[in-house]
Amino acid sequence: MPETSEISTAASADVRGEEIRAITDAARSADGVSPFNEDTMLSLDARRLAAIDDSGQLVAVALTRDLGDGTIEGELVVHPEHRRAGLGARLYDAVSSAADAAPVLWAHGNLAGASALASSRSLEAVRTLLKLGRPITEADAGGSPPPDGLTIAPFTEADADDFLALNAVVFRSHPEQGALDAAGLDARRSTDWFDADDFLLLRDGDGALLGYNWLKREGDEVEIYVVGIAPEAAGRGLGRALMQAGLQRMHATGARETSLYVEGDNTAALALYRSLGYEQLSIDVQYRHTRS
């Protein structure tokens, strides 16, 4: 195995997207989980710190983003063939030394290596994100109509501003989803997986947007990408109605599995999803320094 000669602060042009996708695919194959989330992969301004071996091959990379509030959020991956040599720790230290404050680190799957790295750098778990899932069954075919006076219809171009406004309210305390803007929406609409018919919007009789259920289809699996209900409409069963409409759509289009992500402390959402048959599949953990 070639020795790793350097960790370099690499500009976007120096570490090509296909190199990052290749190391991401290798890690996903070995670990069963991607080392980077979609927001990171879609971010055009993500800073890249790379570990290069003596043959010039990318063997580890950290992607970081400035969240605009002084927080640097990062994810890192070491190629499966180059692990247990301290590369993860060296990359984290390089990210940390380049930031004004200790970075926040996401560990997707909370694998043993990530947990050990966090412990070695005195990082504590401060946030948990759960992935839930279940099969699509014949019981999902029927669905149920929305409550009287309400309609559920697919997304159109004319819905963009209403969606972004409601999403900002629903996820105002969520650091990723709450920051979605027109450019971010356009980026997602340009992906291979986007289908407007999988983006369900619920409106009242006056046309006011009360909720949405956005589905992300990849092969035979459909993710509940994001679901939200206007605060003033909470407690009316609209979340369940939108979830059932999404499950019906999945069944009608031949999906076999469904999944979603939910904050580990969102007890109301967890109760709803579990009542619809979802079970835990994996866990992501966010680590950071909580002591000076």
Side-chain angles (χ1 to χ4, degrees), residues 21-45:
R21 285 189 290 273
I23 196 172
T24 297
D25 290 343
R28 184 189 292 111
S29 178
D31 303 329
V33 62
S34 175
F36 302 117
N37 67 28
E38 184 178 56
D39 283 342
T40 301
M41 295 298 285
L42 287 174
S43 178
L44 299 178
D45 59 354

Side-chain angles (χ1 to χ4, degrees), residues 38-58:
E38 184 178 56
D39 283 342
T40 301
M41 295 298 285
L42 287 174
S43 178
L44 299 178
D45 59 354
R47 185 181 184 192
R48 306 172 183 189
L49 275 75
I52 310 297
D53 70 13
D54 285 346
S55 67
Q57 296 298 307
L58 178 69

Side-chain angles (χ1 to χ4, degrees), residues 71-222:
T71 300
I72 300 298
E73 182 178 79
E75 296 153 294
L76 62 86
V77 62
V78 177
H79 193 286
E81 296 178 358
H82 293 265
R83 292 176 177 174
R84 292 174 292 280
L87 277 177
R90 289 175 60 194
L91 268 179
Y92 175 83
D93 291 344
V95 171
S96 185
S97 66
D100 292 333
V104 174
L105 182 69
W106 271 109
H108 300 294
N110 200 31
L111 304 173
S115 179
L117 169 59
S119 178
S120 74
R121 293 304 184 267
S122 301
L123 306 179
E124 297 183 13
V126 294
R127 184 179 168 198
T128 299
L129 190 64
L130 303 177
K131 183 179 182 180
L132 311 183
R134 72 167 179 82
I136 299 295
T137 70
E138 286 301 317
D140 297 316
S144 59
D148 290 345
L150 305 182
T151 59
I152 296 177
F155 175 90
T156 69
E157 179 70 32
D159 295 313
D161 288 345
D162 284 352
F163 163 70
L164 288 171
L166 180 56
N167 183 78
V169 172
V170 172
F171 290 97
R172 59 189 176 277
S173 61
H174 193 284
E176 293 92 23
Q177 185 63 29
L180 184 67
D181 56 13
L185 177 59
D186 288 344
R188 285 155 180 77
R189 291 171 62 195
S190 69
T191 59
D192 292 339
W193 59 260
F194 179 79
D195 184 338
D197 288 338
D198 289 338
F199 194 170
L200 307 176
L201 304 183
L202 184 149
R203 294 183 181 272
D204 67 15
D206 296 324
L209 183 62
L210 298 182
Y212 48 87
N213 185 3
W214 189 353
L215 312 179
K216 177 183 179 182
R217 186 178 305 271
E218 292 186 307
D220 291 334
E221 181 174 336
V222 179

